[in-house]
Amino acid sequence: MKGGNVKRIAFIGLGNMGLPMSRHLVAGGFEVIGFDLSKDACAAAAASGAAIAGSAAEAAGQADVVITMLPTGQDVRAAYLGVSGLIEASRPGALLMDSSTISSTVTVEVAAAARAAGRRMIDAPVSGGTPRAHSGTLTFMVGGEPEDLADARPLLEAMGAKIFHVGASGAGHTAKLCNNMLSGICMVGTVEALALGVANGLDPAILSDIMRNSSGTNYALERYHPYPGLMENVPSANGFAGGFRSDFQLKDMRLAKELANDSKTMAALGDLACEIFAMHCRNGFAALDYSSVIKMAMAVPDAPETAPAPKTAAAPAASPAE
Ligand code: NAD
């Protein structure tokens, strides 16, 4: 199987990200055989032109490329390894690609098992969130052999706008965790600065403008404002619905923290921000967008006062963290 010859793709995990990604593959002329544990997800993929298999193994057995977009590393490990796992079920020589956000340790383990069984594997986590999954403009961070990336490139181009080859197997997931640790820290720092100003009598809109034009500027201030009513088409303008769940942000920050521990790297702010997201999730906000962490630092209006809701519920604003 070489790049241009990819015809059939098994797509396992048709959730918030996997479903729109699979739609772009169908639109790009690939034959997609999908599977998800959720019947609703399968029905939505079928309505978009994918064939649906009775199991992940059945889908993999018919495909040139197997893509997984699953919640956690445990899910990915369980899906690939073992009897009737995706490695065993896939065709000899098949290219396996995991786009979930997971630990690079799991990636390296699964990729080694794949190689031992005569399969090839790349990690290709994504950034851009559901909006860019819907628009087919995701950023891919790829770990693995250059020739395997070359084979995957037509698929990645159907789903994404930017493709980075980061390095060997696991490097894609390492880059993804570095980014999400930083964006979590930036979000917490931003809400603390806003809370400090407001507690001392400043208008959050004026303060935001000042910081955007000063050395404190960052993505949260510029394109993902956490204070309701100050920016259109972001989750804070929509009751923090959509976007990137706080418990997913916590998952990624915990993985980054593990990586920092393993590599004996300083991650003091990463650790603190991780703990803040853990508290935020324990306080009942796990399903809200991660910018809702502003509720930890200050009281904010429940509903936006000046900003309209996002244009579509299905495609909320892009998160830098995702
Ligand atoms: P999701 O929960 O919406 O979708 C996951 C899907 O996987 C669900 O439909 C679930 O039924 C299915 N599933 C779970 N185990 C399965 C199995 N064994 N076999 C088949 N299907 C199975 O999650 P999502 O938002 O699509 O995120 C998926 C991954 O992508 C996560 O690792 C997440 O961190 C990462 N990610 C998410 C975003 C985002 O904005 N949502 C952005 C970038 C990366």
Side-chain angles (χ1 to χ4, degrees):
M1 193 279 306
K2 285 284 160 217
N5 298 327
V6 175
K7 298 273 185 295
R8 282 189 173 167
I9 300 162
F11 207 115
I12 316 300
L14 301 162
N16 288 332
M17 295 295 288
L19 178 63
M21 289 166 74
S22 69
R23 284 179 176 148
H24 282 285
L25 291 172
V26 171
F30 297 101
E31 200 181 321
V32 175
I33 308 166
F35 178 75
D36 194 292
L37 296 177
S38 151
K39 287 198 168 37
D40 288 349
C42 289
S48 309
I52 299 299
S55 67
E58 189 188 311
Q62 302 172 50
D64 306 306
V65 176
V66 179
I67 300 177
T68 44
M69 195 57 174
L70 300 171
T72 68
Q74 289 96 306
D75 297 317
V76 170
R77 215 175 164 277
Y80 279 98
L81 303 179
V83 180
S84 302
L86 293 170
I87 292 176
E88 187 187 285
S90 57
R91 295 171 172 176
L95 178 58
L96 314 176
M97 173 174 130
D98 179 44
S99 287
S100 330
T101 304
I102 66 166
S103 141
S104 47
T105 311
V106 173
T107 317
V108 168
E109 178 195 0
V110 174
R115 258 195 317 279
R119 277 63 164 170
R120 301 169 298 138
M121 186 159 192
I122 58 174
D123 42 307
V126 300
S127 180
T130 48
R132 291 196 193 153
H134 282 273
S135 61
T137 57
L138 289 166
T139 295
F140 284 91
M141 310 162 208
V142 179
E145 297 300 322
E147 54 273 24
D148 294 337
L149 168 56
D151 283 354
R153 193 171 281 278
L155 287 62
L156 302 182
E157 285 173 350
M159 299 181 281
K162 288 191 181 150
I163 301 162
F164 293 95
H165 187 202
V166 192
S169 176
H173 280 133
T174 300
K176 173 72 179 160
L177 297 183
C178 294
N179 179 72
N180 282 22
M181 182 179 84
L182 179 59
S183 65
I185 292 169
C186 285
M187 183 57 77
V188 170
T190 301
V191 305
E192 288 188 354
L194 288 167
L196 180 64
V198 170
N200 287 281
L202 302 190
D203 179 327
I206 295 173
L207 175 60
S208 298
D209 251 353
I210 292 168
M211 295 194 293
R212 261 194 296 274
N213 287 285
S214 305
S215 50
T217 193
N218 63 64
Y219 199 100
L221 283 170
E222 289 170 6
R223 291 171 62 185
Y224 208 80
H225 208 292
Y227 193 96
L230 297 191
M231 194 174 278
E232 296 180 12
N233 200 27
V234 290
S236 64
N238 188 34
F240 299 103
F244 187 49
R245 291 173 57 117
S246 292
D247 57 357
F248 277 13
Q249 176 67 36
L250 174 59
K251 162 182 75 86
D252 296 353
M253 294 199 84
R254 282 184 169 149
L255 292 173
K257 184 172 166 159
E258 268 171 41
L259 197 60
N261 283 343
D262 291 349
S263 56
K264 299 185 173 47
T265 308
M266 173 178 153
L269 293 182
D271 282 1
L272 268 180
C274 181
E275 197 42 52
I276 287 167
F277 278 105
M279 277 192 266
H280 186 54
C281 291
R282 280 199 295 275
N283 287 345
F285 301 109
L288 295 189
D289 178 73
Y290 83 118
S291 63
S292 66
V293 75
I294 195 168
K295 290 169 180 278
M296 288 273 294
M298 66 192 299
V300 290
D302 277 342
E305 282 160 9
T306 57
K311 283 173 190 135
T312 66
S319 164
E322 303 154 40

